[in-house]
């Protein structure tokens, strides 16, 4: 079984106007399908930098990256965009729904923008996802008629439409109340059971930690602890 993402010696530098500063130290990590991995750390720890490198949005200053067994280090921007579209789903702090579109049309929007039309069977698949995520009754609802947790589940459905190998979530519950957060985290935990998909969630909120199959803590641009190491030890 291949890891969904493999990082080898990945590091990142930023120029602050005076000097080059290393915000992510050389990092080796593998993320596996069937697993909910939580990347945790305080603001400025490097966790979001790591996530954006994993999502092929930010190029590493050093190191190599593999996605689903394919090395993507050094690919062109067009090639990286193709890998992102085929392999990744993204969920952010804000659901980012378009107010003028229904929940279902919001879920379809990303895929229809790519091809200027909805591919055959995609609407049916979106409705199946709404049913799986417990929001089937809200497919025709407008975003203002949905709770924060319901909006976030629409965003998850949108991310899943491409059948991604990796679901990357950046603080997906930080804007939600306790009950909505619990529903979204239960949903992500269930989605991580898919043996063909890995789920990676970045957070600074310790209330998320109990949902993790694996907890990786980052401090000062370094891996401070990894429960996978403890389990293997």
């Amino acid at each position: 079984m291949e890891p969904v993402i493999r990082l080898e010696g990945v590091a990142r530098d930023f120029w602050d106007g005076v000097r080059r500063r290393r915000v992510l130290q050389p990092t080796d990590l593998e993320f596996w399908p069937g697993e909910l991995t939580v990347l945790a750390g305080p603001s400025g720890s490097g966790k979001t930098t790591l996530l954006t490198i994993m999502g092929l949005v930010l190029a590493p200053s050093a190191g190599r990256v593999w996605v689903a067994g394919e090395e993507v280090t050094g690919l062109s921007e067009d090639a990286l965009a193709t890998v992102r579209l085929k392999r990744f789903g993204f969920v952010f702090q804000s659901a980012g729904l378009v107010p003028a579109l229904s929940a279902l049309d919001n879920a379809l929007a990303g895929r229809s923008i790519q091809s200027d039309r909805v591919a055959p069977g995609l609407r049916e698949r979106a409705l199946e996802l709404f049913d799986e995520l417990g929001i089937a009754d809200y497919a025709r609802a407008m975003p203002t008629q949905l709770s924060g947790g319901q909006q976030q589940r629409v965003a998850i459905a949108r991310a899943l439409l491409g059948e991604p190998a990796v679901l990357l979530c950046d603080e997906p519950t930080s804007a939600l109340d306790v009950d909505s957060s619990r529903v979204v985290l239960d949903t992500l935990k269930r989605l991580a059971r898919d043996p063909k998909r890995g789920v990676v969630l970045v957070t600074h909120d310790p209330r998320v930690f109990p949902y993790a199959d694996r907890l990786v803590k980052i401090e000062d641009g370094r891996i401070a602890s990894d429960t996978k190491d403890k389990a293997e030890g």
Side-chain angles (χ1 to χ4, degrees):
M1 182 173 62
E2 292 276 2
V4 290
I5 298 177
R6 178 184 168 200
L7 308 176
E8 183 180 288
V10 164
R12 177 67 193 191
D13 301 331
F14 283 106
W15 176 255
D16 63 10
V18 177
R19 61 185 177 86
R20 187 170 297 278
R21 185 167 60 92
R22 176 147 287 185
V23 296
L24 182 67
Q25 300 298 323
T27 299
D28 296 330
L29 279 174
E30 293 179 337
F31 299 88
W32 296 90
E35 189 173 78
L36 172 57
T37 301
V38 171
L39 297 178
S43 178
S45 63
K47 63 185 186 301
T48 299
T49 298
L50 181 58
L51 186 77
T52 52
I53 290 173
M54 290 166 55
L56 312 184
V57 176
L58 186 68
S61 302
R64 303 167 71 186
V65 180
W66 286 260
V67 176
E70 173 189 1
E71 185 172 4
V72 298
T73 313
L75 291 182
S76 69
E77 287 300 320
D78 286 347
L80 290 173
T82 298
V83 176
R84 282 195 299 270
L85 182 65
K86 290 173 56 178
R87 300 294 191 185
F88 288 89
F90 296 90
V91 181
F92 303 102
Q93 178 177 342
S94 169
L97 304 186
V98 179
L101 297 180
S102 69
L104 179 61
D105 286 339
N106 263 286
L108 293 167
R111 293 285 148 178
S112 59
I113 287 171
Q114 293 291 336
S115 61
D116 295 325
R117 63 185 180 86
V118 177
L122 200 60
R123 187 174 298 272
E124 291 73 17
R125 176 56 183 151
L127 288 170
E128 290 176 0
L129 286 169
F130 271 48
D131 187 48
E132 292 172 17
L133 297 174
I135 51 173
D137 291 342
Y138 300 95
R140 302 298 175 186
M142 305 304 287
T144 55
Q145 298 172 306
L146 303 175
S147 69
Q150 289 164 345
Q151 289 188 34
Q152 199 62 293
R153 280 181 282 167
V154 172
I156 292 171
R158 180 178 60 199
L160 292 174
L161 267 180
E163 302 295 338
V166 191
L167 188 62
L168 296 181
C169 308
D170 189 5
E171 302 280 7
T173 61
S174 62
L176 302 179
D177 60 41
V178 172
D179 290 338
S180 294
S181 294
R182 186 179 300 113
V183 170
V184 169
L185 290 168
D186 285 340
T187 299
L188 293 173
K189 181 80 169 180
R190 186 173 70 253
L191 292 171
R193 299 282 75 79
D194 188 329
K196 297 180 180 179
R197 180 193 303 123
V199 179
V200 182
L201 189 158
V202 162
T203 188
H204 65 277
D205 186 354
R207 293 177 298 179
V208 176
F209 298 175
Y211 291 85
D213 297 310
R214 176 187 180 191
L215 178 61
V216 180
K217 292 186 177 180
I218 303 174
E219 296 177 7
D220 298 323
R222 304 176 186 275
I223 305 300
S225 64
D226 185 344
T227 57
K228 187 176 184 66
D229 294 337
K230 293 179 181 178
E232 291 176 348

